[in-house]
């Protein structure tokens, strides 16, 4: 019995470590070291049928806000991206409302409220990224990587400005990370090998 318990504990620890490592790796793929004062943080929405931001979108907003570089806060725009939900409100608007009313964020906010897919998220935010020096995309690690890969496909010149967002932190979501890793592997199945590399 003791051996069974030990085996289960080892398997559980291995699963947690695997999930942590894979999410860490994804958070560092397709990002570079672009510099400059003008920064954009793109926060991607998640399906939100209720009239206020759901748990996932609230976390994504917090990750986006904490991704703002302190020394360039005045030159940073936060772009919330996500179209209308079954509640009638756009995900972008719900996230912006949460950022302003709950997190008391007073910085520059832009809304992209038409997209329904990750590909459309990127297509529709591109006009808002043309004049920035650095681009950060905030979401769960696999989803953010997918969005970065899409930006690379659509506008490789803008993809050269991608840098890491602060949407991966060791231990955060730890219990869920093995499941997020499994879901991420499924989500990223269409990416090419060079779209998973750890630098641009």
């Amino acid at each position: 019995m003791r051996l069974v318990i030990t085996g289960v504990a080892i398997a559980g620890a291995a699963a947690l470590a695997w999930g942590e490592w894979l999410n860490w790796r994804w958070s560092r793929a397709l990002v570079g070291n672009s510099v400059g004062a003008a920064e954009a943080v793109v926060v991607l929405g998640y399906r939100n049928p209720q009239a206020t931001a759901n748990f996932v979108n609230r976390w994504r907003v917090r990750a986006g806000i904490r991704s703002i570089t302190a020394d360039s806060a005045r030159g940073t725009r936060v772009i919330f991206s996500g179209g209308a939900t079954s509640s009638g409100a756009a995900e972008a608007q719900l996230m912006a409302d949460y950022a302003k009313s709950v997190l008391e964020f007073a910085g520059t906010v832009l809304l992209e409220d038409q997209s329904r897919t990750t590909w459309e998220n990127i297509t529709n935010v591109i006009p808002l990224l043309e004049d920035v020096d650095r681009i950060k995309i905030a979401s769960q690690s696999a989803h953010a990587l997918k969005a970065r890969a899409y930006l690379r496909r659509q506008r490789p010149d803008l993809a050269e400005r991608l840098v890491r967002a602060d949407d991966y932190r060791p231990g955060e979501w730890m219990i869920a990370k093995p499941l997020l890793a499994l879901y991420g592997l499924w989500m990223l199945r269409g990416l090419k090998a060079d779209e998973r590399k750890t630098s641009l």
Side-chain angles (χ1 to χ4, degrees):
M1 184 66 176
R2 193 171 294 175
L3 288 175
V4 172
I5 293 173
T6 301
V8 170
I10 291 172
L16 291 175
W18 173 76
E20 192 74 48
W21 172 78
L22 205 48
N23 281 277
W24 172 87
R25 185 179 176 199
W26 289 333
S27 74
R28 283 158 173 76
L30 296 187
V31 294
N33 298 300
S34 185
V35 296
E39 177 180 83
V41 179
V42 180
V43 183
L44 303 175
Y46 179 77
R47 43 187 175 270
N48 202 127
Q50 60 205 64
T52 56
N54 61 26
F55 174 77
V56 174
N57 281 328
R58 293 197 304 271
W59 179 84
R60 291 183 182 184
V61 172
R62 292 195 303 273
I65 299 302
R66 75 191 186 197
S67 295
I68 297 171
T69 306
D71 60 0
S72 64
R74 289 188 179 181
T76 299
R77 67 190 65 162
V78 178
I79 304 168
F80 294 109
S81 177
T85 65
S86 57
S87 69
E91 293 164 357
Q93 185 64 62
L94 297 178
M95 291 190 293
D97 291 345
Y98 176 75
K100 293 175 181 178
S101 64
V102 178
L103 302 183
E104 299 181 345
F105 179 66
T108 302
V109 169
L110 301 177
L111 302 183
E112 182 289 297
D113 58 5
Q114 299 299 310
S115 60
R116 295 180 177 272
T117 65
T118 306
W119 183 267
E120 290 179 0
N121 285 135
I122 297 305
T123 301
N124 294 337
V125 300
I126 281 175
L128 307 176
L129 302 176
E130 297 283 0
D131 60 342
V132 300
D133 303 306
R134 293 182 296 158
I135 301 167
K136 300 177 180 179
I137 298 178
S139 186
Q140 276 71 24
S141 295
H143 188 219
L145 170 54
K146 184 177 183 179
R148 292 193 296 272
Y150 285 173
L151 181 60
R152 191 172 182 235
R153 291 180 188 182
Q154 295 183 37
R155 286 290 302 274
D157 59 319
L158 290 180
E160 291 179 1
R161 306 177 199 175
L162 285 165
V163 296
R164 281 195 64 228
D166 189 9
D167 52 2
Y168 168 85
R169 287 186 174 181
E172 188 175 46
W173 292 73
M174 178 174 276
I175 300 300
K177 273 179 180 166
L179 293 175
L180 289 172
L182 288 171
Y183 180 67
L185 287 171
W186 177 84
M187 179 189 296
L188 299 174
R189 67 195 184 283
L191 295 192
K192 302 172 185 176
D194 69 336
E195 292 177 322
R196 300 168 183 259
K197 62 183 183 179
T198 55
S199 62
L200 286 168

